[in-house]
Amino acid sequence: MVHCNKRGSEALLGDCSHIFKYEQGGAAHLGGVLLSTLRNKPDGTFDLKEMESRIRGFDIHEPVTNLVAVENTHNYCGGKVLPMTWLDELADLCKKHSIPIHMDGARLFNACEYLGEKPSNVVKHCASVSVCFSKGLCAPAGSALAGSYHFIEQARRLRRMLGGAMRQVGVLAAPALVALDEIVPLLGFDHKRAFRLAKVIEGLFLDSFAVDVENLHTNIVLVRISENSPLTSEVVLQRLMEVCQSETMNDCKTENNDGVIVRGTHFNDKTLRFILHHDITDEDLWLAIMKITYVFKELDKNKQAAKKNQII
């Protein structure tokens, strides 16, 4: 709403971006901003030639394109990190047309860990950037918006209008500082654990489940269910949260003989997501791997048996 401060303004962004998919059209509902989407590629980028061709405002009948928004890391694409060269090219185009860039950097520090770059370098072309302290940084809550002095002045006014002001914000700032000082340096361990989980799932060689290990960038593991399988992500996630006696008999349990449950996120009917973070230890990961291995093999075996019966 700061960047698109005239009603009828347009923002260009990816069709799989969080702002477009998961915010109930809030930009239009609250700010009168038209969100126009560009097709996201698997790496979280979009075609820059298409973007330039979609810039509007030269005709009196058109909305005015006042913003381009990117997401880094890209959640729906599996924690992908936007290439620095692509961001440079995007910045050149936006500068040419005098359009600011906003970065949804909810997981910005994961992107920096992967790239080996400082946050200031990753966001150097952006007029504004948002970061989240609870996604992977282990703070209980809290996000922040960064921009120029004038930008933040205007953002504070809009926040007040939307009811977002908080006098007791120090209770959020304190754990956010801990997150920056103590958790950010450890993000690499989350990435390694995610890679370990992905490699195990890949190594099961099951027909029903697949992971793109080669293109795994950060702490998000997307598991794809084969299109010809009757399984859905909701069925798989429900089974991962159940404990049956046969699991504990096969050592899928804790030291206290408790059953293991694994929670994930439903992305679509054929995709589920696992996220690794600081509170998931190596021991937790091992238990999760045992549970996932057991359940995936069970479901894949059941699918194969059903298929065989159908043929008979």
Side-chain angles (χ1 to χ4, degrees):
M1 290 174 68
V2 179
H3 290 301
C4 300
N5 53 22
K6 293 182 179 179
R7 295 190 70 82
S9 294
E10 175 184 55
L12 297 177
L13 73 174
D15 64 342
C16 291
S17 64
H18 189 284
I19 294 173
F20 177 69
K21 288 183 70 69
Y22 299 116
E23 294 182 0
Q24 300 182 22
H29 187 74
L30 300 173
V33 181
L34 172 66
L35 297 180
S36 294
T37 60
L38 303 160
R39 186 175 180 81
N40 271 125
K41 297 179 181 180
D43 64 355
T45 65
F46 44 75
D47 186 87
L48 295 180
K49 289 184 178 179
E50 180 191 359
M51 187 211 80
E52 188 172 27
S53 71
R54 296 277 298 279
I55 293 173
R56 299 192 286 180
F58 311 105
D59 189 309
I60 195 172
H61 303 93
E62 298 175 337
V64 178
T65 305
N66 280 329
L67 181 68
V68 172
V70 296
E71 187 174 333
N72 200 16
T73 66
H74 202 290
N75 177 34
Y76 198 82
C77 293
K80 295 296 191 301
V81 178
L82 301 180
M84 293 292 286
T85 52
W86 184 83
L87 289 172
D88 290 340
E89 294 172 10
L90 172 67
D92 289 340
L93 280 179
C94 289
K95 186 176 181 180
K96 174 183 173 182
H97 295 280
S98 300
I99 299 174
I101 300 171
H102 169 73
M103 181 178 288
D104 177 353
R107 295 180 175 88
L108 172 65
F109 297 102
N110 290 95
C112 296
E113 171 65 29
Y114 176 82
L115 293 169
E117 297 279 359
K118 294 180 178 179
S120 57
N121 194 35
V122 176
V123 304
K124 63 185 177 183
H125 299 304
C126 300
S128 60
V129 57
S130 59
V131 295
C132 181
F133 299 110
S134 64
K135 289 189 175 77
L137 299 190
C138 298
S143 296
L145 179 67
S148 69
Y149 178 84
H150 177 70
F151 176 87
I152 295 300
E153 270 193 329
Q154 296 303 308
R156 284 194 174 116
R157 290 187 62 85
L158 287 169
R159 181 186 63 180
R160 175 72 64 174
M161 181 182 70
L162 294 170
M166 182 179 179
R167 293 181 181 84
Q168 304 83 359
V169 73
V171 300
L172 297 183
L177 290 173
V178 174
L180 292 173
D181 293 338
E182 299 184 17
I183 304 300
V184 169
L186 303 176
L187 289 178
F189 293 108
D190 299 335
H191 296 186
K192 289 178 181 178
R193 292 186 181 107
F195 183 78
R196 197 181 311 161
L197 173 60
K199 285 291 289 183
V200 169
I201 296 173
E202 180 189 51
L204 297 176
F205 299 107
L206 300 176
D207 292 335
S208 301
F209 304 98
V211 177
D212 185 4
V213 177
E214 185 178 352
N215 293 306
L216 180 67
H217 288 180
T218 53
N219 64 325
I220 297 178
V221 179
L222 292 187
V223 180
R224 313 284 186 183
I225 302 171
S226 63
E227 290 297 328
N228 61 358
S229 170
L231 293 171
T232 66
S233 58
E234 288 186 345
V235 169
V236 176
L237 290 172
Q238 183 61 44
R239 177 63 185 88
L240 287 169
M241 290 191 289
E242 297 171 352
V243 176
C244 64
Q245 187 176 1
S246 58
E247 293 176 30
T248 55
M249 293 175 61
N250 285 276
D251 291 330
C252 189
K253 58 186 177 182
T254 67
E255 291 182 358
N256 298 323
N257 292 323
D258 295 326
V260 177
I261 66 171
V262 174
R263 296 185 182 275
T265 303
H266 161 82
F267 254 31
N268 56 50
D269 283 347
K270 295 295 182 180
T271 308
L272 54 139
R273 180 188 73 172
F274 298 119
I275 291 188
L276 282 295
H277 53 82
H278 180 67
D279 292 325
I280 304 297
T281 64
D282 287 332
E283 181 182 357
D284 295 330
L285 176 60
W286 174 244
L287 290 171
I289 285 174
M290 292 180 66
K291 174 74 171 192
I292 291 169
T293 298
Y294 186 93
V295 170
F296 280 17
K297 284 184 175 180
E298 174 190 84
L299 294 176
D300 189 72
K301 182 180 179 180
N302 291 344
K303 189 210 79 167
Q304 297 299 334
K307 184 177 180 181
K308 183 178 180 181
N309 291 336
Q310 188 177 29
I311 293 174
I312 292 173

